[in-house]
């Protein structure tokens, strides 16, 4: 029975390795140094390594469908340590990774729950790779170690994994990663290595450790026998120069893309600021229009109040003037009457004296 280890985390916890059969047991399995070096759990990768009696398969950074308390996606990484007689199961897992990775990620994610502690359904994890694959022996040509571009040679590796058994030699068998350089692949010397960082048009054949990698081009036997050591060296230099040129161009395009993204973001920011200013101006114009209407209304009311007050004043003034005239007239009449009486009395007194 395979030993299966899972690295994952909870919403507010750090990443830990768990033994799938004993989930309460946090444990990092004992691994060869090369596997530890190549299996980076922060990036997607697949590493298959054969020990003398075991196969070690590491698949890293699979999507879990969960996020942590800072809304970062949580990754699931797994390591299978299986006996040699379980090779068909290991190949089936690799085949599913290459042909239906979304389904593989979902099956693994469904087996890992958080309630709130991490729980792993071992039966679900263990059932992955139960599909039977053919196990034809590899011919001698296929035993050659080589690396190539992932997009170009992925299907060829799928066909080999599906129909053929794996090499029996101890060491690195399969290595797939996009976060490692071509030099890393050349130094690791896998039986099959694929990465989009390898830009060569053909397979790069990896011979024994004392020889440098050479590009496997399609030539007739007669042409192959005529190739000298010097032409191989020139080909390697040309490929190296071509790779450097392509990487330089890729870096330039990346910088241009970043500059375009930054300029677009800055332009969008300025457009948003301008829209805010326009909205502020429109709001201010509305306030001004309302204030103008209020002033006009107040002016009209004031003019009406002035007219009303003027009318009231003129009416009161006329009434007061009329009252004043009436009072003068009465006073004058009374004065004249009294004066007449006084004159009459004076006349009467003068007559009596005479």
């Amino acid at each position: 029975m395979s030993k299966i280890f899972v690295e994952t985390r909870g919403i507010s916890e750090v990443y830990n390795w768990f033994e799938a059969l004993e989930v309460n047991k946090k444990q990092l399995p004992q691994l060869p140094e090369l596997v530890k070096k190549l299996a980076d759990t922060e990036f997607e990768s697949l590493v298959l390594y054969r020990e003398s009696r075991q196969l070690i398969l590491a698949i890293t950074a699979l999507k879990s469908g969960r996020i942590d308390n800072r809304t970062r996606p949580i990754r699931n990484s797994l390591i299978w340590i299986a006996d040699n007689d379980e090779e068909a199961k290991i190949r089936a897992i690799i085949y599913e990774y290459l042909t239906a990775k979304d389904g593989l990620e979902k099956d693994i994610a469904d087996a890992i729950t958080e309630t709130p502690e991490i729980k792993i359904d071992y039966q679900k994890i263990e059932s992955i790779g139960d599909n039977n694959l053919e196990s034809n022996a590899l011919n001698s040509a296929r035993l050659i170690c080589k690396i190539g571009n992932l997009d170009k040679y992925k299907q060829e590796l799928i066909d080999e994994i599906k129909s053929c058994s794996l090499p029996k030699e101890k060491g690195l068998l399969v290595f797939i990663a996009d976060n490692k350089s071509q030099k890393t692949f050349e130094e690791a010397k896998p039986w099959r290595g694929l990465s989009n960082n390898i830009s060569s048009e053909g397979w790069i054949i990896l011979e024994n450790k004392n020889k440098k990698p050479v590009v496997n081009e399609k030539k007739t036997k007669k042409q192959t026998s005529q190739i000298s050591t010097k032409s191989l060296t020139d080909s390697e230099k040309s490929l190296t120069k071509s790779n450097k040129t392509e990487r330089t161009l890729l870096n330039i395009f990346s910088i241009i893309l970043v500059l375009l993204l930054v300029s677009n973001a800055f332009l969008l920011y300025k457009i948003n600021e301008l829209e805010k200013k326009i909205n502020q101006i429109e709001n201010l114009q509305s306030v001004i229009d309302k204030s103008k209407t209020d002033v006009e209304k107040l002016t009209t009311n004031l003019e009406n109040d002035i007219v009303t007050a003027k009318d009231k004043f003129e009416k009161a003034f006329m009434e007061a003037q009329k009252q004043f005239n009436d009072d003068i007239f009465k006073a004058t009449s009374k004065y004249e009457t009294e004066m007449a009486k006084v004159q009459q009395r004076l006349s009467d007194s003068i007559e009596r004296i005479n």
Side-chain angles (χ1 to χ4, degrees):
M1 183 173 63
S2 302
K3 284 188 176 182
I4 305 173
F5 299 85
V6 178
E7 188 201 55
T8 190
R9 61 166 292 174
I11 292 177
S12 58
E13 298 178 358
V14 297
Y15 280 95
N16 280 299
W17 281 100
F18 301 89
E19 187 173 347
L21 191 58
E22 301 179 57
V23 71
N24 293 327
K25 189 177 181 180
K26 296 180 181 180
Q27 178 181 346
L28 176 64
Q30 296 295 321
L31 300 172
E33 288 302 318
L34 185 57
V35 176
K36 291 180 183 179
K37 177 183 176 182
L38 299 179
D40 188 342
T41 59
E42 292 187 7
F43 301 95
E44 290 187 15
S45 66
L46 183 147
V47 179
L48 177 63
Y49 189 92
R50 186 187 290 280
E51 289 277 31
S52 56
R53 297 181 180 180
Q54 292 179 322
L55 285 168
I56 300 171
L57 172 63
I59 299 179
T60 63
L62 295 173
K63 297 174 183 175
S64 70
R66 296 179 292 126
I67 57 174
D68 63 17
N69 53 7
R70 296 174 61 183
T71 69
R72 295 173 299 188
I74 293 175
R75 307 178 304 274
N76 291 331
S77 298
L78 287 89
I79 292 176
W80 286 263
I81 300 178
D83 294 333
N84 286 331
D85 58 6
E86 294 183 279
E87 178 182 312
K89 181 182 181 69
I90 295 298
R91 285 172 43 231
I93 296 171
I94 298 173
Y95 180 79
E96 186 172 356
Y97 176 85
L98 293 171
T99 60
K101 187 169 71 171
D102 290 344
L104 177 64
E105 287 177 326
K106 185 177 185 304
D107 290 342
I108 292 172
D110 290 344
I112 302 171
T113 57
E114 183 180 1
T115 58
E117 68 277 3
I118 295 295
K119 290 187 177 181
I120 300 172
D121 189 328
Y122 178 79
Q123 296 302 323
K124 286 184 178 180
I125 293 285
E126 204 275 334
S127 66
I128 295 171
D130 282 347
N131 300 327
N132 292 323
L133 297 178
E134 301 175 23
S135 296
N136 300 318
L138 289 169
N139 58 42
S140 58
R142 288 187 173 179
L143 288 172
I144 297 173
C145 298
K146 54 187 180 179
I147 60 176
N149 182 269
L150 175 60
D151 290 340
K152 188 171 183 179
Y153 291 110
K154 180 179 178 181
Q155 186 58 50
E156 185 173 325
L157 178 59
I158 289 171
D159 294 339
E160 286 185 321
I161 293 295
K162 181 180 180 181
S163 60
C164 300
S165 58
L166 298 168
K168 303 305 179 184
E169 289 80 4
K170 177 182 176 181
L172 184 62
L173 299 182
V174 181
F175 179 33
I176 303 171
D178 273 344
N179 67 312
K180 303 294 185 183
S181 66
Q182 180 173 323
K183 183 179 179 181
T184 301
F185 279 79
E186 293 171 353
E187 293 174 348
K189 297 187 182 301
W191 168 66
R192 293 292 181 268
L194 294 178
S195 172
N196 285 320
N197 284 333
I198 301 173
S199 56
S200 173
E201 294 183 359
W203 281 108
I204 297 176
I205 305 302
L206 302 177
E207 297 184 350
N208 62 51
K209 295 183 180 180
N210 296 323
K211 293 185 180 180
K212 296 181 179 178
V214 296
V215 177
N216 180 31
E217 299 176 348
K218 295 181 179 178
K219 293 183 175 67
T220 63
K221 292 182 179 179
K222 182 178 180 180
Q223 289 173 321
T224 303
S225 63
Q226 294 174 347
I227 296 176
S228 64
T229 304
K230 183 177 182 301
S231 65
L232 282 173
T233 304
D234 291 340
S235 176
E236 291 171 2
K237 289 180 179 178
S238 176
L239 283 171
T240 302
K241 184 177 180 181
S242 175
N243 290 340
K244 288 182 178 178
T245 302
E246 289 176 357
R247 290 178 184 176
T248 301
L249 289 175
L250 183 60
N251 289 336
I252 292 172
F253 288 141
S254 299
I255 292 171
I256 292 172
L257 180 60
V258 170
L259 290 175
L260 286 174
L261 290 173
V262 171
S263 62
N264 286 340
F266 181 77
L267 183 59
L268 288 174
Y269 171 78
K270 286 298 182 182
I271 290 173
N272 289 334
E273 289 295 315
L274 183 58
E275 288 177 348
K276 289 180 181 179
K277 293 293 184 183
I278 291 173
N279 290 334
Q280 290 176 354
I281 291 172
E282 289 176 350
N283 292 336
L284 184 59
Q285 185 63 45
S286 299
V287 173
I288 291 172
D289 291 340
K290 186 175 182 301
S291 300
K292 185 178 179 181
T293 302
D294 292 339
V295 169
E296 290 175 351
K297 186 175 180 181
L298 288 172
T299 302
T300 302
N301 292 339
L302 181 59
E303 289 176 349
N304 292 335
D305 291 341
I306 290 172
V307 171
T308 301
K310 184 178 179 182
D311 291 339
K312 288 182 179 180
F313 174 79
E314 290 178 348
K315 184 177 180 181
F317 178 78
M318 291 177 66
E319 289 178 353
Q321 187 177 32
K322 182 180 179 182
Q323 184 65 39
F324 177 76
N325 291 334
D326 290 340
D327 291 340
I328 292 295
F329 177 76
K330 289 179 181 179
T332 303
S333 298
K334 185 176 180 180
Y335 171 77
E336 290 177 346
T337 300
E338 291 296 324
M339 286 301 294
K341 288 181 180 179
V342 170
Q343 287 178 353
Q344 183 63 44
R345 288 176 184 168
L346 184 57
S347 297
D348 292 338
S349 296
I350 291 171
E351 285 179 355
R352 287 178 187 159
I353 294 171
N354 292 331

